Amino acid sequence: MEGDLHNSMVEKTGKGQEVDMEDGGGERGNWSGKLDFVLSCVSYAVGLGNVWRFPFLCYEDGGGAFLIPYVIMMLVVGLPIFYLEMAMGQFSSLGCLSVWKCTPIAKGLGFGMITMTFFVATFYNVIIAYALFYLFASFTKELPWKTCDNYWNTPNCRVTKASDNSVINDTFFNDTFVNDTSDTYDIASGTASLSDNDTTSNGSFVAIRPSEEYFYNRVLDMSDGIDKLGEVKWDLTLCLLLAWLIVFLSLAKGIQSSGKVVYVTSTFPYFVLVALFIRGITLEGAIDGIVFYMKPDPVKLLLPKVWQDAAVQVFFSLGCTFGTLHTLSSYNTWHQNSHKDAVIVAWLDCFTSVFGGFVVFSVLGFMAHDAGTTVDKVVASGPGLAFIAYPEAIARMPLAPLWSILFFIMVFMLGIGSEFTLFEAIITGLVDEFEGSFKNLRKYKTLLTLILCVVCFLLGLPMVTQGGIHVVTLMNAFAANISLLLVSTFEVIIVGHFYGVNRFLEDLKYMLGFKLNLYWKISWWIVTPITLVALVISSIVAYTPLTYGNGDPYPDWALALGWLLTITSLLPPLIYPVFYMCGLQGTILERVRISLKPTPDWGPHLDKHRVEAGYQPLRRNDPEECVKMLTQQNLQKQHVTSM
């Protein structure tokens, strides 16, 4: 029966192509194939954090033992929210704003998601611009961050290995280093690198690796603080412009065009990761890095911080609560088995994080061996790993430019895949919500995409100034941190307790064709909300003011601006309920009761599916099909009764 129903929804376009009309009438669009959706989810979920944050957390929080809290938090927090949002979008064929027709008082959550996504998409593309800068710089015979004889290098730059006495006895200043317990030989470069407190006898010298000077002096030309933005870097600006141009061209024709781009952005990074892994394990000292990465330390499992790190990493790695999962799944056909897709993507994301650790630590082991030091002295996290530590390791390999090109193409692909999805969530959410207020808004979706890309590019200009990295750091810390956790907490409570977990499971039974097991009910109803509340509380308790790399705090006005970003995302969920109830009639209790009920048009988009799921048809598409469905269902009920 399902195959016949599906066939009845396939029509021919003027060009003779078949189009599945289960997209909601053909205007909104849908994936051209099931694989488009899965690869888009992979491209979104598998991002830079899998490569530059998870390995560091794993080594810091107990090595191989960290996989225990990581997997548990995947089951308790990550997977339940991941599929909750995916199921909501597919069931209603709506983005993250209109999907709240299920509980209209909560639409402010959708506006909060859009706001956070807008902030993140704006600064995330700046990081992609960094990757493009390094990619273009890699097309050379010798990588520019390999040596210290460039115009951006300072007299403090050192390339020589720590085992070389010429480093310990510096001849440039005719002074010797002070060697105390805080000295580190090589932090990722194979050079002697001292802490900020390590100086010469005249108190003026600190050894710096060439990759660090390249990043801070050449790429960023970094100023001393956020209050000194300085000049706009024209080369970074062009890279940022190119990044936004790629985003626009990939999304200009809607989900069909981006659905094809992800075939590259989701698969190519895996080829590079495998190539880097094979290259890494063949290097001397690689086994030391891998052992250091996976060596279990069960004692650390008793520390609350380890469990908090696992929960936060799972949550942010999967990309929940940005509205993107609602958006991606809203383009599915109604009966697609998104349950299977969610499980596959979530665990693939987990596997990628673990595998990325092997790729990273095999190279870090080589660096430690080459420098004559231990692995813990060369470990870095975040941008420091992607733009300082790993590039310098590549610079010391044979065929360094080739490996550098492959590495930064991978970084670019990991970043741009997430950026596509973040931006599509914004566009889809706005179009779905306001197409009724603005006639033919969907026809101008390309123009809307262009306008938003231009706006985000202009907002990104302060981040490509000499002090831009401080702005990026500020936005990364405040744009979607505690606000993201709070919005996700409200979301799972609204669906699980106000819309009703039993009602939601019943909806999904009709959509999927089978009933979900008890795991999902317990998670959405009890376990996930409690875990999220605990995570929010621990994050607030553990808050420390943002500081620069040298430990100096950000100025008060900058911290106030950061908290303003956080509050901006939280205001819609708090203000919208008041706004919505003011438009209703009756007592306060009556208004609250009405605002918690689904709107009449909530449910599947097509009437045939509304009837199938027990919803009243809206007669907006194919009324004859609805009559047939109603008649067939009545006959089935009579047959069951007679038995």
Side-chain angles (χ1 to χ4, degrees), residues 257-566:
S257 59
S258 64
K260 298 307 178 186
V261 174
V262 296
Y263 277 78
V264 178
T265 61
S266 63
T267 57
F268 183 80
Y270 285 98
F271 289 108
V272 179
L273 280 174
V274 171
L276 289 173
F277 173 71
I278 295 173
R279 182 68 186 100
I281 60 176
T282 60
L283 297 171
E284 288 188 82
I287 189 65
D288 296 331
I290 293 175
V291 169
F292 185 85
Y293 168 52
M294 294 304 295
K295 184 179 180 181
D297 185 3
V299 176
K300 288 194 174 184
L301 297 183
L302 301 177
L303 301 176
K305 176 184 177 297
V306 172
W307 293 84
Q308 181 183 345
D309 285 347
V312 171
Q313 175 62 19
V314 165
F315 191 84
F316 286 97
S317 179
L318 289 176
C320 304
T321 321
F322 284 107
T324 50
L325 300 174
H326 303 91
T327 300
L328 292 175
S329 60
S330 70
Y331 294 103
N332 283 345
T333 55
W334 198 68
H335 285 296
Q336 180 164 324
N337 189 353
S338 55
H339 171 265
K340 179 182 68 175
D341 298 336
V343 173
I344 290 174
V345 173
W347 290 113
L348 181 60
D349 177 77
C350 179
F351 164 78
T352 305
S353 296
V354 176
F355 182 66
F358 284 98
V359 174
V360 169
F361 273 86
S362 62
V363 174
L364 294 181
F366 155 72
M367 293 163 63
H369 173 81
D370 195 50
T373 185
T374 56
V375 180
D376 61 308
K377 300 293 178 61
V378 301
V379 172
S381 178
L385 176 63
F387 299 118
I388 297 177
Y390 210 94
E392 187 146 354
I394 291 176
R396 297 163 60 194
M397 295 180 184
L399 300 175
L402 173 62
W403 290 110
S404 182
I405 290 170
L406 290 175
F407 175 75
F408 284 109
I409 288 178
M410 180 192 73
V411 172
F412 170 75
M413 293 290 186
L414 289 173
I416 204 69
S418 300
E419 182 72 17
F420 288 157
T421 313
L422 289 169
F423 213 70
E424 180 62 37
I426 299 173
I427 301 296
T428 298
L430 294 176
V431 171
D432 284 351
E433 179 63 22
F434 297 109
E435 65 175 332
S437 303
F438 299 93
K439 189 176 181 181
N440 298 324
L441 178 61
R442 195 172 296 279
K443 294 182 179 180
Y444 297 100
K445 187 175 179 180
T446 301
L447 178 60
L448 177 62
T449 303
L450 176 61
I451 292 173
L452 286 177
C453 284
V454 171
V455 170
C456 287
F457 168 73
L458 295 176
L459 291 176
L461 289 179
M463 301 180 217
V464 290
T465 60
Q466 292 171 300
I469 186 64
H470 305 303
V471 182
V472 172
T473 302
L474 184 73
M475 293 196 67
N476 181 54
F478 288 98
N481 201 326
I482 187 66
S483 55
L484 196 72
L485 295 175
L486 283 170
V487 169
S488 64
T489 303
F490 295 147
E491 178 184 34
V492 72
I493 290 175
I494 288 292
V495 176
H497 292 269
F498 290 95
Y499 182 74
V501 66
N502 290 328
R503 177 194 289 181
F504 189 54
L505 288 170
E506 190 71 10
D507 290 340
L508 300 188
K509 183 180 72 172
Y510 288 109
M511 183 181 77
L512 298 173
F514 59 89
K515 186 176 181 179
L516 295 178
N517 58 41
L518 191 62
Y519 159 76
W520 299 101
K521 180 176 182 178
I522 294 176
S523 297
W524 291 332
W525 192 32
I526 301 175
V527 178
T528 304
I530 292 176
T531 305
L532 283 172
V533 170
L535 190 58
V536 169
I537 294 174
S538 65
S539 298
I540 294 174
V541 172
Y543 168 76
T544 55
L546 187 64
T547 61
Y548 296 114
N550 60 7
D552 294 336
Y554 268 60
D556 292 339
W557 66 265
L559 295 177
L561 182 61
W563 280 110
L564 181 61
L565 291 175
T566 299

